[in-house]
Amino acid sequence: NNDSHCSVVDKEMRKVRSAVVAYALAVVTRHPHAAAFISSSSRDFSTRVSLNMGKSNPLIENNLPEPLLLGSGSFTRKLILSEMNIPYHKIVREIDERNLGDRSKDAPRDLVLMLAKAKMDHLINEIQAGNCNDDLPNGFTSANEWVVLTGDQVVTHAGNILEKPDSVEQAKRFVTGYASSPCSTVGSCVLTHLPSGIQVSGVDTATIHFKPTITSDIIDNLLKEDAPVLSCAGGLMIEHPLTREHIDRIEGTEDSVMGLSKDLVIRLLGELRQKLLENAK
C-alpha cells in the first residue's frame, strides 16, 4: 500500500542522509553534489528530499516492483540512484573478483559484464536460499517480487585494464599515465527480475582527457583528505575538486565515470519491462 511504500522510501532516504553526514565527517567528497548536501542544514536537506520525492519514479513508470535491491556497496551508485528517484535497498554478498577473468586477455566490456553477472548469480543464490531474509526491508521476504541490480567497472589506459590500485605507488603510476594519454571507464549494469529470472544487461563507456598538469602528487593530496583512492578503479576520482581542476574534457557522462550510467539504467529498466510483458503472453 502507499503507506508501506512511503515508509520504505523514507527509510532509504534517511540512510542516504546518514551516509552523507558520515562522509562529511570523514572529509570525503566523491560526488559533485555532495558538498551542497554536506554544507546544508537539516531543513534544507529535507526540502531537497521532498522535492526529489515529487519526481517520477522509473520503477513505477515501468510497472516494476520497489524498492530495487542494490547489490553494490558503492557510495556513488547509491547517490546516483537517489538522484534518479529510484528507491533502493542495499544487499551485498562479496565474491572474489580477482580470481575471475583474465585481465591480460579479456576485452574490458566482456570482463565487466562477466563480473557483474557473477555478482548477480551469487546474490540471487543467497536470496533464493533464504540467506538474505534478515537483510531485506521490514515486511519483505525472498518470496516477494524484486528487481536486483549489480555492476562492475574498470578503467582502461594504453591498452591495459586498470582495477583498484594495490598500493599508493601503483595509484601514482596510473595517474602519471593519464597526463600523456586519455583513460576510459567501462562500466556494466545487470538487472534481474525475481522470481522470473529474466535478466537484461549492458555496458557504458566514457573517456576522460586530462590536462598535462596532472601529476602523481595528486594522490598524496587526495590521501591527505582521506579520499578513498585505493577503492576506485584506476585510482580515478574525477568527482573530487582536486582532480576536477586537471580535467580537460569528458566524452560521455560523469555518472558513467562514477560507476553507474543513468541512461543505461533507464534503458535496461525499459527492456526488462518489455521482456516481462512478452513473458506474460
Side-chain angles (χ1 to χ4, degrees):
N1 58 38
N2 289 336
D3 289 339
S4 62
H5 159 65
C6 289
S7 65
V8 170
V9 174
D10 289 342
K11 180 179 179 181
E12 291 307 306
M13 294 311 297
R14 285 196 297 271
K15 287 182 179 179
V16 172
R17 179 183 175 184
S18 297
V20 171
V21 172
Y23 236 49
L25 294 175
V27 200
V28 177
T29 308
R30 288 221 50 205
H31 188 274
H33 303 306
F37 284 147
I38 292 168
S39 63
S40 64
S41 66
S42 297
R43 185 172 64 178
D44 288 341
F45 185 95
S46 299
T47 300
R48 267 191 297 275
V49 170
S50 298
L51 289 173
N52 196 49
M53 293 280 286
K55 293 181 180 179
S56 60
N57 178 340
L59 293 176
I60 293 177
E61 288 182 340
N62 286 284
N63 197 30
L64 295 170
E66 55 179 312
L68 176 143
L69 290 187
L70 174 62
S72 170
S74 165
F75 183 76
T76 52
R77 288 192 179 109
K78 290 188 286 185
L79 279 174
I80 289 169
L81 288 175
S82 296
E83 284 187 345
M84 297 177 71
N85 204 36
I86 295 178
Y88 64 86
H89 184 83
K90 184 189 75 172
I91 295 186
V92 180
R93 292 296 184 269
E94 301 290 347
I95 64 171
D96 186 1
E97 300 179 37
R98 295 282 182 171
N99 288 326
L100 296 176
D102 187 337
R103 277 65 176 168
S104 65
K105 296 180 180 179
D106 293 340
R109 296 176 66 92
D110 296 338
L111 178 64
V112 294
L113 265 180
M114 183 269 292
L115 290 174
K117 289 181 178 181
K119 295 174 186 178
M120 180 67 74
D121 290 344
H122 180 58
L123 180 54
I124 286 179
N125 287 338
E126 289 289 289
I127 292 172
Q128 293 179 332
N131 296 333
C132 297
N133 284 343
D134 291 341
D135 296 325
L136 293 173
N138 291 335
F140 291 82
T141 71
S142 57
N144 286 94
E145 185 183 11
W146 298 104
V147 173
V148 188
L149 184 153
T150 57
D152 194 75
Q153 184 186 55
V154 297
V155 173
T156 62
H157 181 257
N160 298 312
I161 293 177
L162 311 181
E163 294 186 288
K164 298 172 184 176
D166 294 324
S167 64
V168 172
E169 290 71 26
Q170 188 177 51
K172 288 183 176 182
R173 289 197 297 271
F174 288 167
V175 170
T176 300
Y178 302 155
S180 58
S181 58
C183 59
S184 298
T185 57
V186 185
S188 62
C189 178
V190 178
L191 298 179
T192 300
H193 174 266
L194 294 178
S196 71
I198 292 174
Q199 185 176 103
V200 294
S201 61
V203 175
D204 193 75
T205 63
T207 300
I208 307 97
H209 297 260
F210 283 95
K211 301 173 184 176
T213 55
I214 193 166
T215 67
S216 61
D217 291 342
I218 193 174
I219 297 297
D220 292 326
N221 294 331
L222 288 168
L223 290 173
K224 288 177 183 177
E225 296 197 6
D226 295 325
V229 175
L230 301 184
S231 298
C232 303
L236 198 60
M237 294 188 66
I238 70 157
E239 310 88 7
H240 199 287
L242 291 176
T243 306
R244 294 175 72 86
E245 64 182 82
H246 298 288
I247 296 175
D248 180 38
R249 67 186 188 280
I250 297 176
E251 296 175 19
T253 62
E254 191 166 304
D255 43 84
S256 180
V257 176
M258 292 167 61
L260 188 63
S261 164
K262 294 178 183 179
D263 291 342
L264 178 59
V265 172
I266 293 298
R267 176 170 66 81
L268 292 179
L269 288 173
E271 289 182 10
L272 185 60
R273 175 191 181 187
Q274 188 61 36
K275 285 193 173 186
L276 287 169
L277 290 173
E278 292 172 357
N279 188 61
K281 293 179 180 178

